[in-house]
Amino acid sequence: MTETIRNFVVFEGGDGSGTTTQLSLLERRFRGNAMGLVFHPTCEPTDGPVGALIRSVLEKKIALHPLALARLFAADRAEHLYGPGGIIERSGRGELVVSDRYVLSSLVYQGIECGDELPRTLNAPFPAPELLLFFDLDPQTACERLKNRPALELYEHLEFQQKVREKYLSLIGEYQKSGGRVEIIDASKSQEEAAAEVWRVILKMPILKTGR
Ligand code: TMP
């Protein structure tokens, strides 16, 4: 990833690390204190047609080869970025866009499943976020949290999640060396403590410091 998208933030982490919960807490925080900007929470897989197909694979309703799934994640991302009302359009007009997962998820999950080369090639053209928040959580604790869900998805088991955390940590190191901005959030803390940490980090963004 070379070019950077201003006003675009990404939450990343293993399954059960709380990215989705933290994004809704952040949305709530902005609703109560809009600070004169439009906040747009979003996620991958998206709720578009490709994202819906991916969700049925994750829910194990249909089976696809990992090499096909890797391409679907990239197609969904392209639409998410460049489609109408997408990340580029919204961040370009000064909205603060925060996505629950982005390129790094593919480099990690599809990297484990297909090897590094394919996800790297598919995702190389996509621009980088201004800021990435990594929610770090021990996979054992994450899997305990996942047990409360009605059904487990494709990647939600301990052995895979151990590989996921290892790969995130190694790729984040690489990403930081190449100039990417990352903040690590200790996801073992309570929801409230983690949310306070997220807020502290977000408040440092230029869009919030200087206004638009
Ligand atoms: P979640 O957003 O509800 O955590 O579920 C999305 C699942 O899809 C999660 O297990 C991570 C996985 N995923 C990939 O494997 N590759 C990707 O590029 C993305 C965005 C998600």
Side-chain angles (χ1 to χ4, degrees):
M1 289 190 281
T2 45
E3 186 198 340
T4 299
I5 311 176
R6 276 184 57 211
N7 310 332
F8 178 43
V9 179
V10 168
F11 285 7
E12 289 281 359
D15 294 78
S17 64
T19 56
T20 309
T21 307
Q22 287 302 326
L23 186 52
S24 47
L25 291 175
L26 185 61
E27 183 185 15
R28 205 184 300 164
R29 178 99 63 159
F30 271 106
R31 234 184 281 143
N33 183 5
M35 304 170 104
L37 62 75
V38 177
F39 177 73
H40 181 72
T42 182
C43 67
E44 294 186 5
T46 67
D47 56 9
V50 186
L53 183 54
I54 295 172
R55 289 272 172 213
S56 17
V57 178
L58 295 173
E59 289 163 14
K60 299 181 234 176
K61 289 180 182 151
I62 57 170
L64 283 184
H65 194 281
L67 295 173
L69 189 57
R71 289 169 167 88
L72 286 186
F73 277 116
D76 189 41
R77 184 159 299 131
E79 189 59 27
H80 194 202
L81 273 167
Y82 305 113
I87 296 167
I88 297 283
E89 187 185 309
R90 287 178 180 277
S91 57
R93 63 175 180 237
E95 295 183 19
L96 176 61
V97 180
V98 183
S99 180
D100 182 2
R101 301 192 178 281
Y102 186 61
V103 164
L104 199 59
S105 283
S106 279
L107 300 184
V108 168
Y109 287 76
Q110 281 59 62
I112 293 169
E113 284 215 305
C114 314
D116 289 337
E117 198 182 326
L118 180 70
R120 278 191 196 261
T121 306
L122 291 172
N123 287 281
F126 297 133
E130 178 177 335
L131 171 67
L132 188 149
L133 270 63
F134 174 62
F135 291 76
D136 191 21
L137 184 62
D138 153 54
Q140 193 89 45
T141 313
C143 286
E144 286 299 317
R145 289 186 185 174
L146 290 172
K147 278 188 191 154
N148 302 324
R149 298 200 179 164
L152 291 180
E153 291 193 340
L154 193 63
Y155 303 125
E156 294 177 343
H157 57 91
L158 183 58
E159 199 193 332
F160 194 84
Q161 292 301 319
Q162 278 164 337
K163 292 185 194 162
V164 163
R165 177 156 186 265
E166 239 171 72
K167 204 157 180 70
Y168 262 123
L169 292 175
S170 109
L171 291 182
I172 279 172
E174 212 178 278
Y175 180 70
Q176 282 175 311
K177 275 189 204 135
S178 72
R181 213 187 127 209
V182 179
E183 295 277 353
I184 301 193
I185 306 291
D186 179 355
S188 69
K189 289 185 174 166
S190 71
Q191 270 182 15
E192 295 71 25
E193 284 173 313
E197 186 68 12
V198 170
W199 187 237
R200 192 186 57 76
V201 166
I202 293 288
L203 279 181
K204 286 196 280 185
M205 291 186 71
I207 190 177
L208 283 164
K209 280 209 211 134
T210 57
R212 281 174 295 155

